Amino acid sequence: MFDSRHIRSFHEVVRTGSYSAAARSLGYTQPAITQQMKALERSVGTVLFTRVGRRMRLTEAGEALSRHAGVILGNIDAAQQQMNAITRLRTGRVRLCAFPSATATLIPEALARLARGHRGIRVELQECEPPESLRRLVHGEADVTLAFTYPGLREEVPDEVVEVPLMEDQLTVLMPTRHPMARRRSVRLADLSEERWIAGCLRCRANFLHECAEQGFAPDIAFTTDDNLVIQSLVSEGLGIAMMPGLVLNFLCHRSVTGRPLDPASRRQVSAYVLREHLRIPATALVLDELKAVAANRVGC
């Protein structure tokens, strides 16, 4: 209904008491102010000023608008300042959703880099495994999602979602350090067909079963858990071995557990996902840049 320029000129006319004074204050010509006030009166559907001799007086409608004009302009200025702060990366909020091994490795380093240069950017961290994490992105519950896929288990993402590849994460086998194959540089999955196994999250478990099937055996899965530390504890006690992503090797907590890469190598793709329209949001783009920079140092992990 209102043009903010007209409201600003109206407010100045009320403050200074005349069209000519308002024009001088705002750097307009008097006819320009006159035209703006006529346009504003057309917008509200009634006159805002009357003349009493050489003086201008507000009508009842003008009095009502005057009471609101300062608040309207204050809100516009506050909104403009906030938009400037966001676009200049002095402030902003990004909801980041990631899977556990990423929140323990990639995320802390990326957020530390971000904090050093942009302390006003607030990142709210959520932990969730795919595909639930992708659902949160599509439903507007997260702004950036980190997820992983396996070569034989790729999935389609909606058209409005952009995938930003970050790194390839090599799969390893966690085993007790006293295990006979712990002396090898790498291990073959087929050589472990008689072992008891500890399986991880739903997506990792599906890939594990797929790779075992390609090697011609069905694994004996003794335990299933999504908790990486629980898996390490079970392995350290000799209750089974586990196929785990290489990122997990960055936070091994048990000295009696070791990891060996698979031969031939098997890798999962770690990517960030974001809604296409959110790529233009400065804070979101900055978080993606920091994630890419950190992941670049871990390629081949």
Side-chain angles (χ1 to χ4, degrees), residues 165-226:
L166 296 178
M167 61 174 288
E168 288 188 338
D169 190 12
Q170 184 167 323
L171 297 182
T172 66
V173 176
L174 289 190
M175 61 184 70
T177 54
R178 60 184 179 275
H179 194 284
M181 293 192 183
R183 302 187 187 94
R184 300 183 182 182
R185 288 190 174 184
S186 60
V187 295
R188 294 174 52 84
L189 191 58
D191 294 338
L192 302 167
S193 60
E194 300 302 318
E195 297 283 343
R196 298 179 73 198
W197 290 88
I198 303 158
C201 73
L202 184 62
R203 179 166 292 192
C204 294
R205 187 159 64 250
N207 177 71
F208 172 57
L209 292 173
H210 172 75
E211 295 208 19
C212 290
E214 289 203 328
Q215 294 295 320
F217 73 96
D220 175 13
I221 298 178
F223 303 98
T224 299
T225 175
D226 293 349

Side-chain angles (χ1 to χ4, degrees), residues 16 27-28 56 74 79 85 88 98 100 117 131 142 156 175 222 239 247 260 262 280 285 290 297 300-301:
T16 59
Y28 293 144
M56 299 184 64
R88 294 171 186 172
E156 297 296 325
M175 61 184 70
L239 296 172
L247 280 175
R260 291 292 179 263
L262 284 172
R280 296 178 297 180
E290 298 294 5
N297 295 325
C301 178

Side-chain angles (χ1 to χ4, degrees), residues 260-288:
R260 291 292 179 263
L262 284 172
D263 180 23
S266 181
R267 297 179 175 88
R268 66 176 182 174
Q269 175 66 50
V270 177
S271 298
Y273 297 84
V274 62
L275 294 178
R276 191 177 306 278
E277 60 187 18
H278 287 185
L279 287 170
R280 296 178 297 180
I281 298 176
T284 300
L286 180 62
V287 169
L288 287 173

Side-chain angles (χ1 to χ4, degrees), residues 9 29 31 59 68 74-75 82 87 101 144 148 168 177 199 203 207 209 235 247 257 290:
S9 295
T29 63
T59 65
H68 293 288
N75 288 339
Q82 187 171 2
T87 56
S101 56
V144 178
F148 55 87
E168 288 188 338
T177 54
R203 179 166 292 192
N207 177 71
L209 292 173
V235 171
L247 280 175
V257 173
E290 298 294 5

Side-chain angles (χ1 to χ4, degrees), residues 90-101:
R90 291 198 298 267
T91 187
R93 181 189 72 154
V94 179
R95 297 167 299 168
L96 177 59
C97 184
F99 53 95
S101 56

Side-chain angles (χ1 to χ4, degrees), residues 38-236:
K38 288 182 178 179
L40 182 58
E41 289 177 336
R42 287 195 298 270
S43 296
V44 300
T46 188
V47 295
L48 299 171
F49 297 99
T50 59
R51 285 192 175 274
V52 180
R54 300 180 63 182
R55 299 182 60 187
M56 299 184 64
R57 178 178 294 176
L58 289 169
T59 65
E60 182 181 3
E63 292 279 4
L65 182 57
S66 179
R67 288 193 294 270
H68 293 288
V71 175
I72 292 171
L73 294 173
N75 288 339
I76 290 173
D77 289 343
Q80 185 63 57
Q81 290 173 17
Q82 187 171 2
M83 294 305 101
N84 288 340
I86 290 173
T87 56
R88 294 171 186 172
L89 293 173
R90 291 198 298 267
T91 187
R93 181 189 72 154
V94 179
R95 297 167 299 168
L96 177 59
C97 184
F99 53 95
S101 56
T103 59
T105 53
L106 301 178
I107 301 300
E109 187 176 346
L111 296 190
R113 289 169 55 98
L114 183 68
R116 286 194 290 270
H118 302 277
R119 299 190 67 84
I121 304 296
R122 178 183 178 87
V123 177
E124 297 177 0
L125 185 59
Q126 309 169 23
E127 188 172 270
C128 190
E129 298 276 6
E132 171 62 20
S133 56
L134 290 170
R135 186 200 66 79
R136 290 189 186 186
L137 177 72
V138 173
H139 289 184
E141 299 168 17
D143 302 309
V144 178
T145 281
L146 262 65
F148 55 87
T149 55
Y150 291 99
L153 301 171
R154 298 290 294 179
E155 66 179 347
E156 297 296 325
V157 296
D159 290 339
E160 66 268 26
V161 173
V162 175
E163 179 182 0
V164 181
L166 296 178
M167 61 174 288
E168 288 188 338
D169 190 12
Q170 184 167 323
L171 297 182
T172 66
V173 176
L174 289 190
M175 61 184 70
T177 54
R178 60 184 179 275
H179 194 284
M181 293 192 183
R183 302 187 187 94
R184 300 183 182 182
R185 288 190 174 184
S186 60
V187 295
R188 294 174 52 84
L189 191 58
D191 294 338
L192 302 167
S193 60
E194 300 302 318
E195 297 283 343
R196 298 179 73 198
W197 290 88
I198 303 158
C201 73
L202 184 62
R203 179 166 292 192
C204 294
R205 187 159 64 250
N207 177 71
F208 172 57
L209 292 173
H210 172 75
E211 295 208 19
C212 290
E214 289 203 328
Q215 294 295 320
F217 73 96
D220 175 13
I221 298 178
F223 303 98
T224 299
T225 175
D226 293 349
D227 192 317
N228 288 322
L229 295 180
V230 172
I231 291 175
Q232 292 178 42
S233 295
L234 292 171
V235 171
S236 71

